[in-house]
Amino acid sequence: MDIFRSLQDLDFPVGVVVSDADGVLNTYGETATSFAWASVTKLLSATATLVAVERGMVRLDDPAGPEGATVRHLLAHASGVPFDSGATLSAPGRRRVYSNLGIELLAEHVEDAVGRDFGVWVEETVIEPLGMSTVLMEGSPAAGATGSADDLGVLGRELLRPTLVGPELFAEATTVVFAGLSGVLPGFGRQENNDWGLGFEIRDHKSPHWTGSTSSPRTFGHFGQRGSFLWVDPDAGLATAFLGAKPFGEWAAQVWPRLTDDILAAGASR
C-alpha cells in the first residue's frame, strides 16, 4: 500500500514523518523544511508546563487565569476565557472553550513560577533535550513555533515513549480532563463531548475529526490552522507529523483522515 497516495494531488509543499517509538518508519516530501506549526505549538507549551509540574515548580491546582480557574483548567481549555480577547465566556469547568488566550495566561503563570521567560523555558526543557534543532519558539506560546516535520516527528516519538515527564503525570495529561464538556472543535464544529487532556486534544469518538475513522479513541495530539498536525496513537504505537505550506481548509478535512487511515492500515500489517 502507498500510504501517501492521498497526498499525490496536493499542489503545495508538505513534509510528513511517520514514526514508532523506536524511530522513523516512513517520510514524504520536504521533511527538513521549516514550516509554521500554528496551534501545534500548544504541544510544546503543554509539555514544557508538564515538566514544570513534574519538577514541583508548578501545581495543576495552582490558581491561574480568571477567578476560580487553575493551571488544569487552562491546559484543558476549560477556564472559560475566550479565543483571543474579551470577557470570560463561562465559569471554569462548565464548557470547553478553545482558547489561545488561555495558553498565553498559562505561559505567564509558568514564567512567574520558574523565574524565566516562557520561550526560554520551552527551549531548555523540551527543544534542547530532544535535539529539535530547527524549532524556534517565537511569538505566542499558543501558535508561534516554526520547525521541520523531522523535528515534529521527534516530539511524536517522545510522546510515544516519554522521557521528559513521568508515567503518572503523562497518563493524566493524555486522558480526558473535565469529562463531558461540550464545545466547538475549530474547523470541525460543535462536539457534544469535546474531550481534551492537559494540553492534548483527545480523539475519543469525535465526529467529524481530523484523524482517521480507524484511529484509536485514545489518540491524542493537535492540529493547526497553518495546515499542520501531530497525532499519537498509543494503541497502534504510531505517531505522524504533518506540516505544509497551505492553511487548513476543506482540503485538510478530506485528506488528513484518509492519510491517517492508510498509515494505520499499513502499521497494522507490520
Side-chain angles (χ1 to χ4, degrees), residues 30-221:
E30 300 183 15
T31 63
T33 300
S34 285
F35 296 93
W37 287 17
S39 284
V40 177
T41 303
K42 293 180 177 69
L43 299 180
L44 285 176
S45 296
T47 301
T49 299
L50 293 173
V51 171
V53 172
E54 186 74 29
R55 296 182 184 181
M57 304 169 82
V58 171
R59 295 181 303 114
L60 291 174
D61 293 324
D62 283 344
E67 185 175 356
T70 65
V71 167
R72 194 189 311 272
H73 286 104
L74 292 174
L75 278 167
H77 297 282
S79 70
V81 299
F83 177 72
D84 57 8
S85 63
T88 300
L89 300 176
S90 73
R94 297 285 184 85
R95 292 169 53 191
R96 195 81 67 186
V97 182
Y98 181 77
S99 176
N100 280 356
L101 176 59
I103 300 302
E104 290 163 356
L105 293 172
L106 172 71
E108 291 176 4
H109 179 83
V110 174
E111 276 186 348
D112 290 343
V114 302
R116 51 173 66 81
D117 176 82
F118 186 74
V120 172
W121 179 253
V122 173
E123 189 168 342
E124 291 178 350
T125 61
V126 182
I127 295 172
E128 290 181 356
L130 296 182
M132 301 163 68
S133 61
T134 68
V135 177
L136 296 175
M137 181 74 167
E138 300 176 328
S140 171
T146 61
S148 69
D150 286 333
D151 276 344
L152 186 55
V154 171
L155 181 60
R157 293 192 291 280
E158 164 65 20
L159 296 174
L160 278 168
R161 186 182 290 160
T163 63
L164 302 177
V165 174
E168 184 176 341
L169 179 58
F170 187 76
E172 182 176 3
T174 54
T175 54
V176 180
V177 179
F178 304 114
L181 299 188
S182 64
V184 174
L185 179 63
F188 292 90
R190 182 177 175 80
Q191 306 279 341
E192 193 59 36
N193 292 291
N194 194 19
D195 291 334
W196 229 274
L198 297 176
F200 303 95
E201 191 215 328
I202 310 296
R203 195 217 187 284
D204 206 348
H205 298 287
K206 296 188 181 90
S207 181
H209 198 256
W210 53 276
T211 62
S213 62
T214 57
S215 294
S216 161
R218 295 205 303 139
T219 298
F220 61 89

